[in-house]
Amino acid sequence: MMDIARDLKVSVVTVSKVLRNQGRISDATRKRVLQHAKKLNYQMNWVARSLVTRRTYTIGLLLPEFAHPFFAEIARAVAHTVRPHGYHVMISSFEEDPELETSEVDCLLARQVDGLIIASAQPLRCLDMFERVQQRKIPYVLIDRPVEGLRACFVGVDNLAIGRLATEHLIARGCSRIGHLRGPEMGIAVDRLEGYRCALARSGLRVLPSYIVAGGHGDATGYEGMRKMLKTPPVPDGVFCYNDLVAIGAMRAILEAGLKLPDDIALVGAGNVQYCDVLAVPLTTVDQGTCRIGVLAAELLIARISSKRPMRPKTILIPPRLVERESTRR
């Protein structure tokens, strides 16, 4: 910075403000400083900066898996949101393994991240990991999966409404034997199942246990779950799937069985992942505001990091939106 200041005959403070994108500096001066910094191949010393500011300007993002389109979209939204604030994102995947999640959190804390965004897989009433984070006074925001008994910031979708909205849509399309490929044993899957049950009860339709089958959270488990459901007489005429990947697997099983979508079975997923509209039978789904979750979680975390006072936990629930496509258009 001293070299740039001397060469351009400006103060070191001016150079520092330009390189940190702070302060009121004229466009002409800012352009000259940035051009000269590039010429000298200037790289900020983040270690030195963290010693002065007591921040590393890094955020840890913990996701159950990288490959799932839902979490990939969230990661992209978080990175785009924090970048203008001078932050970088360290992304870690724990493969739905609570022990690995705990280990990855400890590693990120050891690297002195300024905050965490977590889609947690911790079991019910297991709060040890979060207590350690709180003891370190590291701000964090939960996304997608609330943790029962934990007072923490949360950004996600109303999962009860997802189940209700998807099932009501199938009922409106004339379905009377509606099945559900439920998700893994976690809070959001329980809420979507409850929304499904509420919608059936409100319409006077029976909730049949044989029509509620484990569908997991991927296309392979959705395929196996749908094959099992198709062995239940009479075959359902509508199915609400825990998420879009489960629905894609279910769609394959339905077509392999020689049945037609949506004439024989109408199908609804959840998530509105990017390729749902280009499937052989474009999938009706419930949009859960994936990008919005990432943006709001990142903004909330930046606000908590920047705040000089403790902030009360805040919950943001995004209302879901039905996106109708050919899989339910009878």
Side-chain angles (χ1 to χ4, degrees):
M1 288 192 291
M2 292 176 65
D3 291 341
I4 295 170
R6 182 188 64 247
D7 294 347
L8 299 182
K9 295 182 171 56
V10 296
S11 69
V12 174
V13 173
T14 297
V15 175
S16 177
K17 287 181 177 180
V18 170
L19 296 176
R20 288 183 291 120
N21 197 26
Q22 295 179 354
R24 296 182 179 180
I25 308 295
S26 71
D27 291 341
T29 299
R30 185 179 301 277
K31 185 176 180 180
R32 290 174 62 221
V33 170
L34 292 175
Q35 285 179 341
H36 203 61
K38 185 177 181 180
K39 180 181 177 181
L40 296 179
N41 194 29
Y42 171 81
Q43 298 289 326
M44 183 174 291
N45 187 328
W46 288 98
V47 175
R49 186 183 182 189
S50 67
L51 290 173
V52 175
T53 63
R54 296 187 179 276
R55 291 187 191 175
T56 59
Y57 290 89
T58 55
I59 287 172
L61 175 60
L62 287 109
L63 301 173
E65 53 183 303
F66 288 137
H68 197 295
F70 172 74
F71 293 114
E73 204 166 328
I74 281 182
R76 189 182 302 112
V78 169
H80 287 173
T81 303
V82 303
R83 197 171 291 134
H85 297 275
Y87 281 85
H88 298 274
V89 182
M90 296 178 67
I91 306 176
S92 177
S93 170
F94 50 85
E95 301 164 17
E96 297 285 3
D97 181 343
E99 291 186 7
L100 182 56
E101 177 188 355
T102 299
S103 173
E104 291 298 299
V105 165
D106 289 339
C107 287
L108 289 171
L109 292 177
R111 293 177 184 275
Q112 306 292 316
V113 294
D114 295 335
L116 295 167
I117 297 175
I118 310 173
S120 181
Q122 292 299 301
L124 288 174
R125 294 177 292 279
C126 185
L127 306 179
D128 294 351
M129 181 188 80
F130 300 104
E131 288 171 356
R132 287 205 301 280
V133 176
Q134 290 169 344
Q135 288 170 1
R136 295 280 294 271
K137 296 183 179 180
I138 303 297
Y140 67 95
V141 175
L142 299 178
I143 57 170
D144 184 49
R145 306 168 174 188
V147 176
E148 186 177 346
L150 184 66
R151 292 188 72 252
C153 287
F154 173 74
V155 179
V157 70
D158 186 338
N159 287 288
L160 195 71
I162 284 181
R164 192 169 57 244
L165 190 61
T167 308
E168 287 174 349
H169 175 69
L170 289 169
I171 295 169
R173 287 291 167 269
C175 299
S176 58
R177 303 185 308 276
I178 301 174
H180 175 48
L181 287 175
R182 62 174 175 80
E185 295 295 333
M186 62 175 66
I188 61 175
V190 171
D191 285 348
R192 292 180 187 187
L193 172 58
E194 185 60 27
Y196 157 82
R197 284 177 168 151
C198 288
L200 290 181
R202 188 178 298 176
S203 298
L205 298 174
R206 292 176 60 195
V207 179
L208 299 176
S210 58
Y211 279 176
I212 301 173
V213 177
H217 56 79
D219 57 341
T221 51
Y223 172 77
E224 293 300 331
M226 192 68 235
R227 289 186 65 190
K228 182 178 179 180
M229 191 181 293
L230 290 175
K231 296 176 183 177
T232 302
V235 171
D237 57 2
V239 178
F240 159 49
C241 301
Y242 167 68
N243 66 19
D244 288 339
L245 292 184
V246 171
I248 290 168
M251 186 180 292
R252 181 161 62 94
I254 291 168
L255 296 175
E256 279 185 6
L259 299 170
K260 295 181 180 179
L261 288 160
D263 298 343
D264 296 317
I265 301 178
L267 201 64
V268 180
N272 196 23
V273 297
Q274 289 183 345
Y275 46 78
C276 280
D277 57 339
V278 296
L279 298 171
V281 181
L283 179 66
T284 293
T285 184
V286 181
D287 190 304
Q288 56 192 75
T290 308
C291 283
R292 194 75 183 135
I293 291 173
V295 170
L296 291 175
E299 290 177 347
L300 184 55
L301 183 61
I302 293 293
R304 293 183 70 81
I305 292 172
S306 304
S307 176
K308 296 180 180 179
R309 298 179 180 178
M311 297 173 64
R312 291 182 178 180
K314 183 177 183 180
T315 296
I316 301 175
L317 285 182
I318 298 170
R321 176 179 61 89
L322 187 88
V323 180
E324 185 179 8
R325 299 191 181 102
E326 278 68 18
S327 70
T328 59
R329 283 180 180 155
R330 288 179 161 175

